[in-house]
């Protein structure tokens, strides 16, 4: 991540809008942030941290207090940050919760974010935070340890104990997944432990299901908790019970079949007795149903007579109705005749008016046309008056336009003269700008070359010193290696003497295998011990590592000098002369740039009016063109209007000639009269004509109705006579008189009687048929027993079945108990074996992963991974610490035994080459702690980039700490940061040290006053 632009408003001590454009540093990526205490230097880091991670750069500040105390509710607090990652530019804007102006005055605003990336905009805070972490590949905690080193927290990583470092590294290197894996294994072991115990309890409880079984062998196995023997015995019992159950079932089937035969015999005998008794009862009821049948026959005859009487009465009523209708029709016919005579008189009058309609329409059309002529004359008179008035207005407009055009012509002459003067000045500006640009480009290149020559001089000096140190390290490494080889040779020679000391008579020789030892080897007095040899080995390895590092440092410096020789074209030998020559050229060019800039400023003041004069000339020319065009339009319009007025005057005279000697009111009155007569006649005549036609139709219909009714009356007389005859015939046939209705009964009574009669006759037939069938069945039985004898046998068989059923149920229950017990115990037993196997596997894996296994040295997975990272970090940190402390200090992991069962092995010690002693980093002085902390932070940064391919750490911010350094240490720290800067990393420093202000040319100066702070960039 590389910053491009930071914008703040009402943020911290910055009340006003403050913009820091980092591109103004002109590629000088090592810059200093300076200013008085409390002015707001650290606030700049807070703003960047807040924009990226929604938090402050240090733990001592809270984002809720970001809004400036100098601001009011009318000011809106926000931070906008533009930055670059892997060559792509990103923009993010955040504001904290605050009271600020809104559409309806001062309102509460919640926290908000806008993150612009890849053409998209994220506005949800949680999503933006996740996207920033994914983009930078750094969490907030990692950012504070690697990119932005906060004030007061700089030494935390250096001096923290193993527990704190473990938490820091867990966040930085993402070992939470390993820790979670270890915790999951613990949880799983705990669960499996409970599962094993639970399985044993379930197995014991499952034996209780077998208590109801009467088997001594089985119960002895249960008492012994021999599960496999219990399962075998249950299998045997299941087979025995199934055989016994089959035998009992056969006996039950045989007994049931016998009982069903006797039950069938008893049922048919009882049924025959019941049918015989019912036949006798039906015979006694025969006389009653015979009388009922006679009563039903008399009712049916009387009903036929009643139907014939009803038909006769209907025919009499129909003839009476026809007589009434004929009388009413005759009365209507007489009324229609009278009404027709009245309507014919009105019709004849209306018919005469109707025939005059064509003549009235012709007269109405003539009057309407005369009225249209009068309307046209009125319209033409108004239009001619309007046109004459318009011509007068156009003449006035033309006069005003001609006066304006004359004034604009005079102004145009003055503006053209001024424009010519400005254009000449513009030409001079162009020439001066080209010259100044060329001078500035050459001047910038010259400055870069001088800076490169300065850097080359510094590298040549460092190369000389590093070469001397490398030679010294090489000599020391050779001496240590020679000592190691000699010591190792003596140690190996002394091994035989050590083995001989521990060899007892009769023991097998570990060298040759012999059991006799005539001549034992002796130990060498000068030979080193194993611990001494290991110490010599460590010292030799350290000497070799030191020589390798120093030779690599010499090679690195030499490569940088060679690169600068290629870039500048200046060799090491010609450096002094080239530097003096370039400085002279640079100073002369600086003076010439100042002179050219002054000339350019003078010309620009004159040329600045060129555009304005040109616009004035164009505006006047455009306005004159517009006026000339409008004058031509007015003249053309005037001529066209005059021709239009002449034409319309001629048309007006023609129209007046068509209506000579006529008055418009008289013509309109006649037209209205004709219109009224025409409308009335056209509407009334068809109505009267239709009324006459309707009356004539009604007279014809009435006449037809009278004839039809006469015919219907003749037919009705015949039907009434026939109905009377049928009534008389029915009475004779039924041998009934006029009192036949006495034999009628209610309909429900008749229906009930018929149903009873049918039911009686059906039951007689069915009972007789069933009785005959039962007699045949009973006669066919092999034993002719009485009902009581059959019942006694059935009772005995039922008692036998009850005993067999009880025995069957007991065996069935025992079978179910055996089957259920076998299935349950087998399931629990198999499940327990699987759980126990899994427990053994998971327990061993958990012990290893969580550092509880002796075979892994009680080292957990996570600490093993952290130790690897930590060794790499310490190694990378030492490469810089050696340089910053002039080869005095080396960081190393502490080997002291820590108390308790907490995190161990991540504390740091420092080896002091001056004293040859190892001590805690907490004993370092303030300046030494700062250098060690800086080296450790840079080492961590290097390892992060190496281990995580997606992380590119282009920037480093350091807040304070340089005030604790002496002059030499400060020089060493600046040299280290300069190397980072030379490798392309941007480095920002907050410090009050005055020497840094002279050593670092690029500044961000922070000032403060009673109205708030300000920050500006100066190079």
């Amino acid at each position: 991540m590389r910053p491009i632009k930071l914008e703040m408003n009402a943020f911290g001590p910055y009340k006003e809008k403050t913009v820091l454009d980092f591109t103004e540093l002109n590629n000088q990526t090592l810059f200093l942030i300076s200013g008085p205490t409390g002015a707001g230097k650290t606030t700049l880091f807070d703003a960047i941290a807040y924009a990226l991670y929604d938090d402050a750069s240090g733990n001592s500040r809270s984002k809720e207090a970001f809004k400036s105390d100098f601001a009011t509710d009318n000011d809106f607090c926000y931070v906008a940050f533009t930055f670059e990652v892997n060559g792509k530019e990103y923009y993010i804007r955040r504001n904290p919760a605050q009271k600020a102006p809104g559409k309806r005055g001062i309102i509460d605003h919640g926290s908000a974010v806008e993150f612009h990336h890849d053409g998209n905009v994220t506005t949800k805070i949680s999503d933006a935070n996740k996207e920033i972490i994914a983009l930078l590949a750094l969490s907030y905690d990692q950012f504070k340890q690697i990119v932005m080193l906060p004030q007061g927290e700089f030494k935390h990583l250096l001096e923290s104990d193993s527990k704190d470092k473990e938490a820091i590294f867990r966040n930085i290197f993402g070992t939470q997944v390993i820790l979670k894996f270890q915790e999951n294994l613990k949880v799983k072991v705990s669960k499996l432990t409970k599962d094993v115990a639970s399985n044993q309890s379930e197995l014991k409880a499952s034996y209780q299901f077998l208590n109801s079984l009467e088997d001594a062998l089985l119960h002895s196995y249960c008492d012994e908790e021999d599960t496999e023997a219990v399962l075998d015995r249950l299998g045997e019992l299941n087979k025995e019970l199934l055989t016994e159950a089959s035998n009992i079932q056969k006996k039950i089937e045989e007994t049931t079949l016998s009982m069903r035969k006797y039950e069938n015999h008893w049922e048919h005998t009882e049924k025959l007795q019941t049918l015989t008794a019912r036949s006798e009862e039906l015979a006694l009821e025969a006389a009653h149903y015979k009388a009922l049948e006679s009563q039903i026959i008399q009712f049916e005859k009387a009903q036929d007579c009643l139907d014939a009487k009803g038909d006769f009465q209907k025919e009499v009523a129909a003839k009476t109705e026809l007589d009434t209708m004929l009388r009413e029709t005759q009365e209507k016919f007489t009324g229609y005749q009278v009404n027709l005579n009245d309507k014919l008189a009105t019709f004849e009058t209306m018919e005469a008016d109707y025939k005059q309609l064509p003549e009235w329409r012709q007269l109405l059309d003539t009057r309407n046309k005369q009225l249209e002529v009068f309307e046209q004359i009125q319209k033409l008179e108004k239009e001619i008056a309007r046109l004459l008035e318009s011509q007068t207005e156009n003449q006035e407009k033309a006069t005003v336009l001609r006066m304006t055009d004359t004034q604009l012509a005079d102004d145009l002459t003055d503006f053209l003269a001024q424009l010519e003067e400005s254009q000449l000045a513009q030409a001079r500006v162009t020439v001066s700008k080209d010259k100044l640009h060329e001078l500035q480009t050459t001047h910038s290149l010259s400055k870069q070359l001088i800076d490169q020559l300065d850097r080359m001089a510094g590298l040549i000096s460092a190369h000389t010193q590093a070469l001397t140190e490398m030679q010294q390290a090489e000599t020391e490494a050779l001496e240590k290696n020679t000592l190691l080889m000699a010591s190792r040779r003596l140690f190996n020679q002394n091994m035989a003497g050590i083995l001989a000391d521990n060899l007892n008579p009769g023991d097998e020789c570990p060298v040759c295998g012999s059991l006799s030892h005539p001549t034992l080897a002796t130990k060498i007095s000068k030979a080193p011990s194993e611990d001494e040899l290991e110490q010599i080995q460590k010292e030799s390895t350290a000497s070799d590592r030191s020589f390798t590092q120093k030779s690599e440092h010499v090679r690195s410096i030499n490569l940088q000098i060679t690169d600068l020789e290629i870039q500048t074209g200046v060799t090491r030998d010609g450096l002094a002369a080239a530097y003096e020559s370039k400085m002279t050229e640079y100073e002369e060019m600086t003076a010439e740039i100042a002179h050219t800039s002054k000339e350019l400023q003078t010309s620009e003041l004159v040329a600045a009016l060129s555009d304005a004069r040109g616009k004035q000339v164009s505006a006047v020319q455009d306005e004159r063109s517009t006026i000339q065009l409008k004058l031509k339009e007015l003249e053309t319009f005037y001529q066209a209007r005059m021709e239009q007025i002449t034409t319309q005057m001629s048309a007006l005279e023609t129209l007046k000639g068509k209506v000579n000697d006529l008055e418009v009111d008289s013509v309109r009155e006649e037209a209205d009269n004709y219109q009224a007569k025409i409308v009335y006649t056209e509407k009334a005549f068809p109505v009267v004509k239709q009324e006459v036609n309707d009356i004539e139709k009604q007279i014809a219909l009435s006449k037809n109705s009278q004839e039809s009714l006469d015919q219907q009356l003749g037919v009705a007389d015949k039907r009434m006579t026939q109905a009377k005859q049928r009534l008389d015939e029915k009475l004779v046939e039924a041998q009934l008189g006029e009192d036949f209705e006495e034999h009628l009964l209610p309909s429900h009574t008749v229906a009930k009687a018929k149903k009873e009669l049918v039911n009686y006759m059906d039951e007689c037939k069915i009972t007789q048929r069933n009785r005959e069938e039962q007699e045949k069945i009973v006669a066919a039985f092999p034993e002719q027993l009485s009902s009581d004898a059959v019942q006694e046998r059935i009772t005995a068989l039922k008692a036998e079945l009850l005993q067999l059923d009880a025995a069957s149920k007991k065996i069935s229950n025992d079978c179910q108990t055996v089957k259920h017990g076998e299935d349950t115990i087998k399931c629990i037993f198999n499940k327990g074996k699987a759980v126990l196997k899994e427990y053994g596997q998971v327990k061993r894996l958990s012990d290893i992963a969580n550092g509880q296994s002796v075979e892994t040295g009680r080292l957990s997975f996570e600490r093993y991974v952290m130790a690897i990272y930590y060794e790499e970090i310490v190694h990378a940190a030492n490469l810089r610490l050696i340089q910053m402390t002039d080869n005095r200090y080396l960081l190393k992991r502490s080997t002291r035994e820590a108390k308790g069962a907490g995190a161990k092995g991540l504390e740091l010690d420092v080896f002091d080459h001056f004293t040859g002693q190892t001590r805690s980093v907490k004993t370092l002085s303030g300046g030494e702690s700062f250098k060690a902390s800086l080296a450790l932070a840079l080492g961590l940064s290097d390892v992060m980039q190496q281990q995580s391919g997606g992380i590119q750490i282009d920037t480093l911010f350091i807040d304070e700490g340089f005030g604790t350094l002496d002059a030499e240490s400060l020089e060493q720290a600046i040299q280290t940061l300069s190397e980072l800067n030379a490798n392309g990393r941007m480095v920002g420093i907050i410090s009050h040290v005055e020497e840094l202000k002279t050593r670092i040319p690029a500044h961000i100066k922070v000032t403060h006053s009673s109205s708030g702070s300000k920050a500006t960039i100066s190079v």
Side-chain angles (χ1 to χ4, degrees):
M1 184 279 296
R2 184 179 292 272
I4 297 175
K5 183 186 288 186
L6 175 65
E7 180 180 327
M8 304 175 292
N9 191 68
F11 188 82
Y14 299 91
K15 177 181 184 295
E16 304 298 333
K17 180 178 178 181
T18 300
V19 179
L20 294 177
D21 188 347
F22 292 93
T23 60
E24 295 178 4
L25 295 171
N26 295 331
N27 296 322
Q28 298 189 40
T29 50
L30 176 59
F31 62 91
L32 176 67
I33 302 174
S34 61
T37 301
K41 300 185 294 298
T42 301
T43 303
L44 300 180
F45 288 178
D46 285 340
I48 294 174
Y50 173 61
L52 293 175
Y53 291 100
D54 197 24
D55 213 330
S57 65
N59 295 329
S60 61
R61 295 171 296 281
S62 169
K63 66 180 180 179
E64 284 73 18
F66 278 157
K67 185 163 184 178
S68 176
D69 293 335
F70 295 101
T72 66
D73 288 346
N74 290 315
D75 298 306
F76 192 84
C77 173
Y78 71 88
V79 173
F81 184 44
T82 305
F83 59 98
E84 179 185 288
V85 177
N86 295 328
K88 292 177 67 175
E89 192 170 300
Y90 299 86
Y91 171 84
I92 188 166
R93 185 182 189 276
R94 290 187 192 264
N95 64 264
Q98 59 186 295
K99 285 185 177 293
K103 293 182 179 179
R104 299 180 180 178
I106 303 300
I107 62 173
D108 288 324
H109 292 265
S111 299
V113 65
E114 289 180 22
F115 179 36
H116 297 254
H117 56 99
D118 301 322
N120 300 316
V121 180
T122 301
T123 57
K124 189 175 180 180
I125 293 176
S126 59
D127 291 346
N129 292 345
K130 292 176 184 176
E131 290 168 358
I132 285 288
I133 292 173
L135 175 65
L136 301 183
L138 291 172
S139 67
Y140 172 59
D141 291 331
Q142 292 171 335
F143 184 80
K144 289 198 301 177
Q145 293 291 337
I146 299 171
V147 177
M148 186 172 287
L149 307 180
Q151 183 179 17
E153 300 176 34
F154 194 66
K155 297 193 297 180
H156 180 63
L157 180 61
L158 178 70
E159 298 181 353
S160 58
D161 57 20
S162 290
K163 182 178 181 181
D164 291 341
K165 284 191 178 70
E166 191 174 81
I168 293 170
F169 289 158
R170 183 174 295 131
N171 288 326
I172 291 176
F173 294 110
T175 60
Q176 296 93 333
V177 65
I178 301 176
L179 179 62
K180 186 176 180 181
F181 170 70
Q182 295 174 195
E183 294 297 329
N184 288 342
L185 285 175
K186 286 183 180 178
V187 172
K188 193 163 185 179
V189 166
S190 176
K191 180 179 181 302
L192 288 172
T193 301
K194 294 178 181 177
D195 290 347
V196 169
S198 175
N199 180 264
Q200 292 299 321
S201 299
E202 287 181 22
L203 197 59
K204 290 180 181 179
S206 64
Y207 292 157
Q208 303 301 318
F209 294 132
L210 308 178
N211 290 341
S212 60
L213 296 176
E214 299 174 359
D215 189 86
L217 183 59
L218 175 65
H219 291 313
S220 67
Y221 290 151
C222 290
D223 294 340
E224 296 170 1
E225 296 185 4
D226 187 349
T227 304
E228 293 182 352
V230 168
L231 290 173
D232 292 340
R233 181 55 187 159
L234 286 174
E236 295 170 357
L237 282 175
N238 189 44
K239 293 178 182 178
E240 295 173 2
L241 290 172
L242 288 175
T243 302
E244 187 176 355
S246 176
N247 295 333
I248 291 176
Q249 185 61 35
K250 288 180 182 178
K251 291 181 181 179
I252 290 173
E253 291 173 358
E254 293 172 356
T255 305
T256 302
L257 182 61
S258 298
M259 188 180 69
R260 286 178 179 173
K261 289 180 181 178
Y262 284 112
E263 286 178 343
N264 188 39
H265 190 297
W266 183 81
E267 287 174 0
H268 286 292
T269 303
E270 286 295 315
K271 192 172 183 181
L272 178 60
Q273 292 176 356
T274 302
L275 290 172
T276 301
R278 183 57 183 160
S279 295
E280 293 172 355
E281 292 174 356
L282 291 173
L284 295 174
E285 296 174 358
H288 166 72
Y289 284 105
K290 186 68 176 177
L292 185 61
E293 182 181 11
S294 175
Q295 187 178 6
I296 290 172
I297 292 172
Q298 285 293 99
F299 164 78
E300 289 175 347
K301 290 180 180 180
Q303 185 65 43
D304 289 342
C305 294
L306 181 63
D307 292 341
K309 183 178 178 180
D311 292 342
F312 171 69
Q313 291 174 344
K314 288 179 182 177
E315 295 299 334
V316 172
K319 181 176 181 302
T320 303
E321 184 178 359
L322 288 172
D323 288 336
T324 303
M325 291 173 62
L326 178 61
R327 185 170 60 256
E328 290 175 352
T329 301
Q330 289 173 346
E331 292 174 354
K332 288 181 180 179
F333 179 79
T334 302
Y336 289 148
Q337 286 287 357
V338 173
N339 193 16
L340 178 61
N341 293 333
D342 295 337
K343 290 293 182 180
L344 284 174
T346 304
F347 174 72
E348 291 171 355
T349 303
M350 293 294 298
E351 188 176 23
D353 290 342
Y354 190 76
K355 290 178 180 179
Q356 287 185 317
L357 284 177
E359 180 182 353
W360 291 349
R361 290 193 184 99
Q362 186 174 4
L363 290 171
L364 176 61
D365 185 56
T366 300
R367 297 296 179 267
N368 286 336
K369 288 179 179 179
Q370 291 170 348
L371 289 172
E372 288 176 1
V373 171
F374 280 119
E375 289 178 1
Q376 292 175 6
I377 290 171
Q378 186 178 8
K379 288 181 180 179
L380 279 174
E381 287 175 344
K382 290 181 179 180
E383 180 64 17
I384 290 169
R386 188 186 64 78
L387 291 174
L388 289 172
E389 183 180 356
S390 175
Q391 288 294 77
T392 302
E393 293 177 357
N394 288 338
Q395 287 294 324
E396 294 174 354
K397 289 180 180 178
T399 301
V400 173
L401 288 173
R402 290 189 187 96
M403 293 173 64
T404 304
D405 184 57
T406 301
Q407 180 62 42
L408 290 174
D410 295 339
D411 294 343
L412 182 59
T413 302
D414 295 339
F415 290 152
L416 285 171
Q418 295 172 358
L419 177 61
E420 184 177 1
E421 180 183 357
S422 297
Q423 288 173 341
L424 291 173
Q426 183 65 43
R428 292 195 297 273
V429 168
T430 303
V431 173
S432 296
K433 280 186 175 180
D434 292 342
K435 181 180 179 181
L436 181 61
H437 178 69
E438 184 178 353
L439 287 170
Q440 288 175 336
T441 302
T442 307
H443 183 267
S444 177
L445 292 173
S446 179
K447 178 66 169 64
Q448 291 178 9
L449 180 58
I450 289 170
D451 291 343
Q452 289 175 327
L453 294 177
D454 277 337
R455 185 170 173 231
M456 186 188 296
L459 288 172
I460 290 171
S461 175
H463 179 267
T464 302
Q465 181 182 352
L467 187 60
T468 302
E469 294 174 355
M470 183 192 74
Q471 292 169 348
Q472 294 173 352
E474 183 180 16
T475 301
E476 183 181 353
L478 288 173
E479 293 174 353
K480 295 290 185 182
N481 283 332
T482 302
L483 176 61
L484 175 62
M485 292 174 64
S487 299
R488 188 175 290 161
R489 185 167 54 253
L490 288 172
F491 178 79
N492 291 334
Q493 293 173 354
N494 194 45
M495 283 299 297
I498 295 173
L499 292 173
D501 279 352
N502 296 325
L503 190 64
N504 296 319
D507 290 345
E508 183 179 342
C509 178
V511 177
C512 63
S514 175
L515 298 176
S516 63
H517 318 293
T519 304
L520 295 173
T522 58
K523 292 195 290 183
I524 300 172
S525 60
K526 295 182 180 181
S529 65
E530 185 175 358
D531 291 339
E532 290 172 340
L533 180 62
E534 184 179 358
Q535 181 62 32
I536 294 170
Q537 172 74 46
K538 288 181 180 178
E539 291 175 356
S540 177
T541 303
S543 297
D544 288 342
R545 187 184 300 116
S546 176
F547 170 67
T548 302
Q549 292 171 352
K550 292 182 185 299
S551 62
E552 182 64 26
H553 183 49
V554 169
R555 189 182 70 83
S556 174
I557 294 174
N558 194 48
L559 287 175
Q560 294 180 55
I561 294 172
T562 303
D563 289 341
L564 287 173
E565 286 179 331
I566 295 170
Q567 293 174 16
T568 61
V570 177
T571 63
R572 307 182 194 195
D573 297 335
L575 176 62
Y579 183 81
E580 184 177 356
S581 172
K582 292 300 179 182
M583 280 299 295
T584 304
E585 291 178 9
Y586 180 75
E587 291 169 355
E588 291 173 354
M589 206 174 298
T590 302
E592 189 173 357
I593 288 172
H595 176 70
T596 305
S597 297
K598 187 173 181 181
E599 287 182 348
L600 175 61
Q601 187 176 10
T602 303
S603 299
E604 283 179 338
L605 290 174
V606 178
L609 300 174
S610 177
D611 291 341
R613 297 305 183 197
K615 290 179 181 178
Q616 288 176 333
V617 169
S618 297
V620 171
Q621 289 175 339
D622 291 344
E623 190 172 357
R624 287 199 71 200
S625 297
T626 302
I627 289 173
Q628 293 294 336
L629 182 62
K630 286 183 178 180
L631 285 171
K632 289 180 181 180
E633 290 177 352
L634 287 173
E635 184 176 353
T636 302
F637 186 70
Y638 180 80
Q639 295 297 332
R641 281 293 173 88
M642 288 306 299
E643 292 175 2
Q644 187 179 0
I645 289 170
T646 303
T647 301
Q648 291 187 352
M649 289 293 289
S650 174
L652 179 62
E653 292 301 323
T654 300
L655 289 173
K656 286 183 178 180
K658 291 181 181 181
V659 289
N660 278 341
D661 303 328
L662 289 177
E663 294 292 335
V664 64
D665 293 338
S666 175
V667 172
R668 183 174 287 108
E669 184 178 356
E670 290 181 9
D672 292 342
N673 290 336
Y674 284 127
Q675 179 68 30
K677 291 169 67 177
I678 290 169
V679 171
Y680 174 75
T681 303
E682 286 178 342
K683 184 177 181 181
F685 177 70
V687 174
V688 173
K689 184 176 180 181
Q690 183 63 41
E691 290 176 350
V692 171
N693 290 336
D694 291 343
I695 293 172
E696 288 176 346
K697 287 179 182 179
Q698 289 173 347
I699 289 173
L701 289 173
S702 296
K703 188 174 181 180
N704 291 336
S705 296
Q706 289 182 36
E707 294 174 356
S708 175
L709 288 170
D710 286 337
Q711 292 176 359
Q712 291 178 30
L713 279 172
V715 172
D717 274 337
K718 292 179 181 180
R719 289 173 62 88
M720 184 178 68
T721 303
Q722 291 172 354
K724 178 61 176 169
Q725 290 176 353
R726 283 196 297 275
L727 174 60
D728 294 341
E729 290 173 358
K730 288 289 183 183
L731 290 172
V732 173
E733 181 181 350
Q735 297 180 354
L736 297 173
E738 293 294 335
D739 58 349
F740 68 88
E741 293 183 8
E742 293 178 357
H743 297 282
L744 294 174
L745 298 170
S747 58
H748 66 278
T749 302
V750 175
K752 181 179 179 181
K754 287 182 177 180
K755 184 177 180 180
E756 289 179 1
L757 181 61
V758 171
N759 290 341
Y760 172 75
M761 296 177 67
D762 289 344
E763 187 178 2
C764 289
K765 292 176 182 179
I766 291 169
T767 302
Q768 181 61 30
R769 183 173 62 249
N770 291 340
R771 180 181 176 186
E772 292 172 355
E773 290 176 355
Q774 289 300 317
E775 287 174 346
K776 291 178 181 179
I777 292 171
V778 171
F781 286 139
E783 283 184 284
Q784 297 298 318
L785 301 173
S786 65
S787 296
D788 294 339
V790 172
Q791 191 62 42
E792 287 177 0
R793 295 190 181 186
I794 290 173
T795 302
L797 289 171
K798 281 184 178 180
E800 184 179 355
L801 277 176
L802 286 174
Q803 293 176 354
L804 290 172
D805 187 58
S808 176
K809 285 182 178 178
K810 183 179 184 306
I811 292 174
S812 176
N813 289 335
D814 288 347
C815 283
Q816 289 180 1
T817 301
V818 169
K819 187 67 173 67
H820 176 69
E822 183 181 15
D823 292 344
T824 302
I825 293 171
K826 187 180 293 183
C827 177
I828 296 171
F829 183 61
N830 291 337
K831 181 180 176 183
K833 288 195 294 184
V835 170
L836 196 60
K837 180 181 179 182
E838 184 181 5
Y839 169 79
Q841 295 171 342
V842 175
K843 180 68 168 65
R844 184 171 184 275
L845 182 58
S846 177
D847 288 346
I848 293 172
N850 286 284
Q852 297 172 355
S853 174
V854 177
E855 60 184 302
T856 59
R858 299 191 182 277
L859 184 65
S860 69
F861 282 177
E862 186 185 28
R863 290 176 190 165
Y864 175 76
V865 172
M866 286 182 180
I868 294 173
Y869 283 128
Y870 198 33
E871 288 291 351
E872 294 180 2
I873 292 167
V874 171
H875 175 71
N878 280 333
L879 294 178
R880 291 189 172 87
L881 184 60
I882 288 174
Q883 178 183 346
M884 285 192 286
T885 61
D886 196 19
N887 295 318
R888 180 175 181 182
Y889 291 120
L890 275 177
L891 295 174
K892 57 189 297 186
R893 284 176 57 197
S894 176
T895 58
R896 294 189 305 274
E897 287 293 329
K899 296 180 180 180
K904 304 179 182 67
L906 297 181
E907 284 86 358
L908 274 178
D909 286 339
V910 61
F911 178 73
D912 189 344
H913 284 94
F914 286 8
T915 65
Q917 299 297 319
T918 299
R919 52 195 171 94
S920 171
V921 292
K922 296 180 181 180
T923 65
L924 293 173
S925 66
E928 291 170 340
S929 292
F930 173 77
K931 288 189 284 186
S933 298
L934 178 59
L936 191 61
L938 296 177
L940 177 59
S941 174
D942 292 340
V943 173
M944 281 290 291
Q945 290 192 91
Q946 293 169 6
Q947 296 294 333
S948 303
I951 299 180
Q952 182 175 346
I953 302 173
D954 297 327
T955 307
L956 177 65
F957 298 113
I958 303 174
D959 190 354
E960 296 296 352
F962 292 89
T964 61
L965 303 180
D966 57 25
E968 183 181 358
S969 297
L970 181 62
E971 175 63 31
Q972 292 166 343
I974 293 175
Q975 180 65 27
T976 299
L977 296 177
S978 297
E979 289 178 5
L980 291 176
N981 182 246
N983 292 329
R985 189 179 296 187
M986 176 178 280
V987 180
I989 301 170
I990 293 177
S991 181
H992 295 90
V993 177
E994 289 297 326
E995 187 176 349
L996 289 177
K997 297 179 182 179
T998 59
R999 293 293 304 277
I1000 302 176
H1003 287 190
I1004 295 178
K1005 295 182 179 179
V1006 179
T1007 59
H1008 68 107
S1009 65
S1010 59
S1011 59
S1013 297
K1014 294 182 180 179
T1016 56
I1017 292 177
S1018 65
V1019 180

